[in-house]
Amino acid sequence: MATLQELKARLSQLGLARDYGYRRELRLLPQILEPDEELRAVTSGVHDGLRRLVVLTQRRLLVLQKPAVGKPSLLYVPREEITAAEGRRGVLFGVLTIHTSAQPFVFHNVAKKSLPPFLEELSPP
């Protein structure tokens, strides 16, 4: 199981520690990730009116939301169910759309810095 320190070190490798290392959702990941699961890409955006952390591993896409008060929410999609992904960069923020076999997920107000590496990691080899 990845520890919080290992996750923060991985964020540093990705160049995203300053952007996402403080997020409440990050503290949930050590309990959620499987022992051999590795953080590949991270971004965040607004989906259904709530700010969510979007984490991509080699196995699945995780969408986490941890309010200051209340229960956290977790949605995950196996990678094989992701059919396509696209991003649009605006002046200040971008939009990330992830199409799955069940439904599309659209995230607004995505940091432009995190969008290209996230899409690159999602693209087929």
Side-chain angles (χ1 to χ4, degrees):
M1 177 187 302
T3 65
L4 186 57
Q5 291 304 98
E6 291 170 338
L7 292 172
K8 287 185 177 187
R10 179 66 179 142
L11 284 175
S12 291
Q13 290 174 344
L14 296 172
L16 298 171
R18 294 181 71 185
D19 300 316
Y20 301 107
Y22 66 92
R23 297 287 307 259
R24 289 188 295 262
E25 292 86 354
L26 194 65
R27 290 184 231 132
L28 299 173
L29 280 178
Q31 301 145 20
I32 295 169
L33 294 177
E34 294 174 5
D36 57 344
E37 204 167 16
E38 179 185 313
L39 191 95
R40 295 283 175 92
V42 177
T43 192
S44 69
V46 176
H47 175 68
D48 288 339
L50 298 171
R51 188 87 168 148
R52 299 176 193 266
L53 186 69
V54 185
V55 175
L56 186 64
T57 72
Q58 74 272 29
R59 291 194 185 136
R60 55 192 175 157
L61 174 78
L62 302 165
V63 181
L64 298 123
Q65 195 265 333
K66 171 70 173 98
V69 178
K71 290 185 176 184
S73 69
L74 167 66
L75 171 72
Y76 71 91
V77 178
R79 291 264 317 232
E80 57 270 5
E81 290 184 20
I82 298 172
T83 57
E86 56 189 299
R88 243 185 15 243
R89 293 170 69 168
V91 175
L92 298 175
F93 296 101
V95 176
L96 172 65
T97 304
I98 300 171
H99 299 276
T100 68
S101 53
Q103 67 183 36
F105 294 93
V106 180
F107 300 93
H108 297 277
N109 296 341
V110 174
K112 290 192 318 184
K113 174 182 175 182
S114 66
L115 193 55
F118 200 93
L119 289 170
E120 183 178 321
E121 184 62 40
L122 263 176
S123 66

